[in-house]
Amino acid sequence: MKNKHRKFKRNYIFTSILLLLSVAIMHNGRAKIHYSSAFDNYLTAYGDSIPLPADTIPLTDTLIEKQKPDSLPVDSLGRVKIDTFSVKMSKDSVDAPIEYQAKDSMVLDVTAQKLFLYGETGVKYKDVDLKAPEIAFDQQTSIVKAKMKLDTAGKSLGQATLVQGDITTMSDSLEFNFKTQKGLTHSSYFQQSELYNFAQVVKKIDAQTIYAFKGRFTTCNYDVPHFAFRSKRIKYISKKMAITGPVGVEFENVPVLPIVVPFGLFPLQQGRHSGLLPPQFTVTDRLGLGLEGMGYYKVISDNFDVTTRWDIYSYGSWRLNLTPTYRVRYRYNGSLNFSYQNTHQGFKGDADYTKNKSFHLTWSHRMDSKARPGVNFSASVNAGSSSYTKFLPTNAIIDQSNGAGGVYSQPQSFANQMNSSISYQKSWIGKPYNLSVNLNHNQNNNDGKVNLNLPDINFNVNTLYPFQPQEMAGSGKWYYKLGVGYTGSARGMTTFIDTLFTFRQMIDTFQWGAQHNIPISLALPQLGSIQISPGFSYQERWYSQKLFRSWNDQTNKVDSSISKGFYTARDISMSVSFSTAMYGTLNMKNKEARVQAIRHVIRPQMSVGYKPDLSKSYYINTQFDTSGRRMMMSQYDKGVYGSFGYGESGSVGFGIDNFLEMKVREKADSTREEEGEGDGLKKVKLIDGFGITGSYNLLADSFKLSTFNLYARSTLFDKVNITATANIDPYLVDTLGFRINKYVWQDNKVSLGRITNGSLSVSTSFKSKEKDKDKKEKDVPQQYDNYDNLTADEMEQQMDYIRRNPSEFVDFNIPWSVNISYSLSFSKILRPDYKGFDTRFTSSMQFNGDFSLTEKWKVGANGYFDFQTLKIPSFSMFISREMHCWQMSINVTPFGLWRSFNISIYPKSGMLRDLKINRTRTFRNS
């Protein structure tokens, strides 16, 4: 018996030595062992005091051959087949390998079947990854225990970190059962979606469900959060929601005692899901107290959802908004918004009481270009009652912050125009022609005038070269470049007043027209440095009505009448143009001078054209004032495509364009050498373009010289953009402003003529350098704003919301910025009664800017100044405070048509965007 015990002891020592050797040969002292039931079977076999006898006779191929065919199953090679499923598994074994490692040491308690790991340990089992300073594993219960460890100074050497799926839990201590997948942790931190959570005790039921006791959760990622919600009991369902009992709010670990709600539901699901949309409280002087934006968002399918919102006011007004959106991936997407409002301003019986019912409709549709190659369909509809925007509060603006997959879209209350377009386009692949069909609408909200173009059809044939062979080598013959094209269009249009609309009125005002254009071009070889381009064009227009004008001596005005029918007009023109380019460079002799060279490019052009007079039949010499003045007026002036020009023309056109730039030496900059600009020179544009164009009609009996068109473009110092245009009339005018056939320089004046219209625009922007170009957003909670499937119109609405609420989108990394733009325009317009001209003049300046008072405070303003009235029609300013996980903004509009102020405090997290403290007041000036 003693010999048997000595034999067992020798086997046990031998096995232990093998285990220690396997640990020693691991990488850098780390042990990685697959723990399975095979070792349990070994312990079971040698657990008895009498060990099993060892089989000293090896199994050879000869022995296998002597076996009977039915005694042991063998394969075609004579090898014994072993059924592994017949091997008995230990009751305490696990169903998958367990990988574990320890940097310091490992202790194996064979009797208790426990394993202890020390020093940067780790255990992996299926999708479970556990790391901790100390880990203990009980093989009988399949429970692993881990805990944190402190050094001699009391500093933490690490926490127990458990990762399963997308959930990471960091705890002071934890217990986890590999079989049941249940666990219990203490003092744990974990993240669910945007929520950063802490709880004294956390119980894990399965891979998706977690219970927390005395928990705290927040969207602030600081260890000591700026704000948090506390609840005694919390249930987390991964990627779905968090459910709490009574929950309170705290700021900087200070609880706000009065603010306690009986329960809380916090969605953790990403993407679209149905739910209630909370309202915002507002106050207006015209509508009273109100709740805006309350409603419901419903996800009907992956391709369709609907948002319904209501606005209710204390004076009796209400508004309903219905916004369905649809999308089919890789094919098309769109949205529709219908709004109906019933407005009551003031109280019944008051002198200023008004009541109005109006509607507004928007539709946006976009087709994926890959859905049907060569075919595209798009829609952008913005229509409704002209009075809709007049009764819309200024704070009822586009707001996507409530999310829910829908856009709460309202037009601005000061919008004067509404435009719509529905377009279908088709191009035949491999064919030289294409087709487009459009429906257009524009509406003036001031006078209620509506213009409809339905339909607007365009058919184009690309230039064809009939004499060019399909396979051509070299440049070919000169006539190979003779090209013929075609452009045809047809349009129907009608005009009416929206409040007086009747179907009969729309039919009476409906007219149509068509236009055909056949251009013939020839690209001749270049003659030296001169490019010669001859051309020929034939145009024909169809009209549905004629306009007859006559002078009425009794009323002293021009009377007009319309005749319906089918009418045509034609026009022919031919021309030859010549163009070239000349270059000149002035190099400085002093190589150390700042300016090294100046380069000037001149592009002159000239053309000769002829147009016969085919318009005599429909141009009538008509009296238009009491003095007997007459003017050639076309009977097709009010047609869809207008009228061709009057008279025969044999014109010589001329023009010249200039471009000026210089090379300057830059200041020493080592970074430019790294960019491959070691010479230290750079090009600076002085004039992007400056020129003049005009023509002289050799066949005209009067007014042979046309007006001169001047233009100039420049960008000074890469900062200031300047664009200017002007039209100069070389003829004198009478007392009423009508031209007379006499040049201005015939009175010994040095002048090109009178400036009849022109424009000037100057814009610039300045900003300081960024404080930290490598600044990252890791200290800011992530926001999950959903911009999927936004149409172009919805993106424009989002940009409009940003422009109207700049304090919510400030960049605290730029200390200051200033943007200024100035525009000036004027033109002379013939009066409707033909009794002279009026000059329309506009001059305005737009400005916006902001600067940082401190690293967290930002102040800014934007406005518009009208130099003609010397007033500021629009001005607003804001103050914004960046609070890491929160944002505060104050917007004030002190004067203008609408005066308002708004104070908002809101978290940056997309999950808590509805927790917005908002105070808004608006006032309208009479």
Short mmCIF file of all heavy atoms in Angstrom, two decimals, residues 17 83 142 187 197 615 635 702:
data_model
loop_
_atom_site.label_atom_id
_atom_site.label_comp_id
_atom_site.label_asym_id
_atom_site.label_seq_id
_atom_site.Cartn_x
_atom_site.Cartn_y
_atom_site.Cartn_z
N ILE A 17 5.04 19.41 -11.78
CA ILE A 17 6.22 19.96 -12.46
C ILE A 17 5.87 20.33 -13.90
O ILE A 17 6.29 21.37 -14.41
CB ILE A 17 7.38 18.94 -12.42
CG1 ILE A 17 7.87 18.77 -10.97
CG2 ILE A 17 8.53 19.39 -13.32
CD1 ILE A 17 8.90 17.68 -10.81
N ASP A 83 -15.57 7.58 -30.95
CA ASP A 83 -16.74 8.44 -30.80
C ASP A 83 -16.52 9.34 -29.58
O ASP A 83 -16.62 8.90 -28.44
CB ASP A 83 -17.99 7.58 -30.62
CG ASP A 83 -19.25 8.43 -30.61
OD1 ASP A 83 -19.13 9.65 -30.81
OD2 ASP A 83 -20.33 7.86 -30.41
N SER A 142 -18.32 27.43 -11.22
CA SER A 142 -18.13 28.25 -12.43
C SER A 142 -18.26 29.74 -12.13
O SER A 142 -18.68 30.53 -12.97
CB SER A 142 -19.13 27.85 -13.53
OG SER A 142 -18.92 26.53 -13.93
N SER A 187 -19.91 49.13 -6.39
CA SER A 187 -19.29 50.42 -6.76
C SER A 187 -18.85 50.38 -8.23
O SER A 187 -17.67 50.44 -8.55
CB SER A 187 -18.11 50.75 -5.84
OG SER A 187 -18.54 50.86 -4.51
N ASN A 197 -23.07 55.75 -16.09
CA ASN A 197 -23.80 55.27 -14.94
C ASN A 197 -22.85 54.87 -13.81
O ASN A 197 -21.74 54.36 -14.05
CB ASN A 197 -24.66 54.05 -15.32
CG ASN A 197 -25.55 54.32 -16.52
OD1 ASN A 197 -26.65 54.81 -16.38
ND2 ASN A 197 -25.05 53.99 -17.72
N SER A 615 -39.13 91.55 -88.23
CA SER A 615 -40.11 91.90 -87.21
C SER A 615 -40.97 93.11 -87.56
O SER A 615 -41.64 93.65 -86.68
CB SER A 615 -39.38 92.17 -85.88
OG SER A 615 -38.46 93.24 -86.04
N GLN A 635 -46.12 93.63 -80.55
CA GLN A 635 -47.37 92.98 -80.15
C GLN A 635 -47.14 91.71 -79.34
O GLN A 635 -48.11 91.13 -78.83
CB GLN A 635 -48.19 92.64 -81.41
CG GLN A 635 -48.66 93.85 -82.19
CD GLN A 635 -49.38 93.48 -83.47
OE1 GLN A 635 -49.16 92.39 -84.02
NE2 GLN A 635 -50.24 94.37 -83.96
N SER A 702 -30.60 105.13 -86.50
CA SER A 702 -30.33 105.97 -85.33
C SER A 702 -29.87 105.07 -84.19
O SER A 702 -30.09 103.85 -84.21
CB SER A 702 -31.57 106.77 -84.92
OG SER A 702 -32.62 105.90 -84.59
#
